[in-house]
Amino acid sequence: MAAFAEDILQAAEAAELEIESAVKNLERIVDKNQWKIIEAFQRHQVSDYHFAGSTGYAYNDRGREVLDLVYADVFGAEAALVRPHFASGTHTISTALFGVLRPGDELLYITGTPYDTLHKVIGKTGDGTGSLADFGIGYGEVALTPEGGVDWDEVALSINDNTKVIGIQRSRGYDWRSSFTVSQIGEMVRKVKELKPDIIVFVDNCYGEFTEELEPTQVGADLIAGSLIKNPGGGIAETGGYICGRRELVELAAYRLTAPGIGGEVGAMLGTTRGLYQGLFLAPHTVGQAVKGSIFAASVFARCGFETKPAWNEPRTDLIQAVAFDGPDHLIAFVQGIQRAAAVDSHVVPEPWDMPGYEHPVIMAAGTFIQGGSLELSADAPIRAPYIGYMQGGLTYSHVKYGVLMALQSMKDRKLL
Ligand SMILES: *Cc1c(COP(=O)(O)O)cnc(C)c1O
């Protein structure tokens, strides 16, 4: 057992007692999602032969076809496109948006500024990069209210004849705001459709999958997308993304991924298929381990005097745990402590660096089996006031627990605690 200060161990013990009821509730969600996935596998009679890979054009790859059906079933959608050919979450979201938007159309985000990597997908008129703007697709966004809700007066003013897609981001991403629960997203869909019935509601579902019993497509979202190296890959999928939703929209996204007229009917899975099935099967459990870790972290860090968002007893709809620290030294000790608890690359000491695309130095901890896989325990922090550290993931609860204890011990070693 690693050596931890007595008061840190006591805080951990007290935290584990405190979070018991929240963990019970979480276990119910895990059970429901696990059975939902087993039932989907059963309905589509998933068998060993589905796991074989395919090569070349891969026409009639039954494993690939059934995987799409299973995803559609689990997400309560008409259709799905689940592919290792999506290089990242951003690529997947970009494919969905380019799939359905046409020159002259407008995309309107109603949950404030979207995730950083999407800014260049949206782009600027004449930027020459092939961004949405470069293709003459307009963009608008409505900032959240000071309370963190959707500003409906502004949304009503912003929707116009050209508004074709409404964008909603479920997860807080790396903002000190709350994430939107599936029931809140359902309410947003209802209100948006009241304003314009034929509008397409798109949800960036990254980090949200299986943290609740329902998914956005089950409460009216038309199209959703996410990354397979986050929640639904279960820590097993080595790469990829998924898009689910109304059949004609998923088909348009598939035309964008490959080529018009070809869509999802080609695409060699090589050796990835079994991992995508097995990852989906494991996802509810693994997401549950990660969320339990976040609940624990929220409780322990609060006990040590830091503000946490969400608090341990607040509802959760994604993996991300934010903690507000007192200054840069705490932040660096936190991230370095998380790294020290990793099985992979624990000997590396993360340092803040000027990452391209960021305005402040950023420090990141990641000791993962899948590069950048953020269903695995990782932590990031931009070094700027108000000094918020973000942590997410964890394939096992015990790993997260040790990560948190190491973070606190690192602070203690530097006399910051
Ligand atoms: C991770 C994430 C993305 C982008 O995914 P990448 O794999 O990093 O490209 C987009 N939106 C949200 C909310 C995310 O969490």
Side-chain angles (χ1 to χ4, degrees), residues 399-416:
H399 178 202
V400 185
K401 182 170 154 183
Y402 280 112
V404 169
L405 296 184
M406 284 289 193
L408 290 168
Q409 187 63 45
S410 297
M411 289 177 204
K412 189 131 196 136
D413 292 346
R414 293 168 205 184
K415 311 233 172 326
L416 298 167

Side-chain angles (χ1 to χ4, degrees), residues 58 60-68 83 264-267 269:
N60 308 312
D61 174 340
R62 200 56 194 149
R64 185 190 67 214
E65 291 169 358
V66 169
L67 184 63
D68 285 348
R83 294 292 183 278
E265 297 191 3
V266 301
M269 299 292 274

Side-chain angles (χ1 to χ4, degrees), residues 87-93 109 114-118 169-174 177 204-208 225-230 240 320 372 374:
S88 67
T90 306
H91 180 208
T92 315
I93 293 166
Y109 253 79
Y115 198 77
D116 269 30
T117 56
L118 294 173
Q169 185 177 306
R170 176 173 174 182
S171 167
R172 74 190 61 243
Y174 300 105
R177 68 148 167 107
D204 171 354
N205 206 30
C206 280
Y207 277 139
S227 163
L228 297 188
I229 63 166
K230 293 181 180 172
I320 300 177
S374 40

Side-chain angles (χ1 to χ4, degrees), residues 43-205:
R43 265 196 292 276
H44 298 284
Q45 301 193 337
V46 174
S47 281
D48 179 62
Y49 76 87
H50 290 120
F51 305 151
S54 53
T55 58
Y57 298 123
Y59 291 125
N60 308 312
D61 174 340
R62 200 56 194 149
R64 185 190 67 214
E65 291 169 358
V66 169
L67 184 63
D68 285 348
L69 295 174
V70 168
Y71 258 75
D73 205 332
V74 166
F75 284 82
E78 286 175 9
L81 182 72
V82 188
R83 294 292 183 278
H85 314 107
F86 289 118
S88 67
T90 306
H91 180 208
T92 315
I93 293 166
S94 172
T95 304
L97 295 174
F98 273 102
V100 300
L101 286 158
R102 295 292 176 271
D105 290 343
E106 240 177 76
L107 165 68
L108 179 68
Y109 253 79
I110 63 169
T111 49
T113 306
Y115 198 77
D116 269 30
T117 56
L118 294 173
H119 299 177
K120 290 203 167 139
V121 173
I122 292 161
K124 296 206 164 57
T125 310
D127 63 14
T129 63
S131 63
L132 290 170
D134 205 22
F135 278 99
I137 295 160
Y139 174 73
E141 73 188 31
V142 176
L144 296 173
T145 62
E147 299 75 41
V150 174
D151 186 340
W152 286 106
D153 293 338
E154 260 323 298
V155 171
L157 286 173
S158 306
I159 291 180
N160 60 53
D161 288 348
N162 297 332
T163 313
K164 168 104 157 269
V165 175
I166 291 287
I168 293 173
Q169 185 177 306
R170 176 173 174 182
S171 167
R172 74 190 61 243
Y174 300 105
D175 274 333
W176 187 252
R177 68 148 167 107
S178 291
S179 298
F180 294 107
T181 63
V182 173
S183 87
Q184 287 171 322
I185 291 171
E187 191 58 20
M188 289 180 204
V189 173
R190 200 183 56 73
K191 285 192 174 155
V192 159
K193 302 242 168 177
E194 257 172 40
L195 292 167
K196 193 171 181 187
D198 62 347
I199 218 156
I200 297 167
V201 178
F202 169 78
V203 178
D204 171 354
N205 206 30

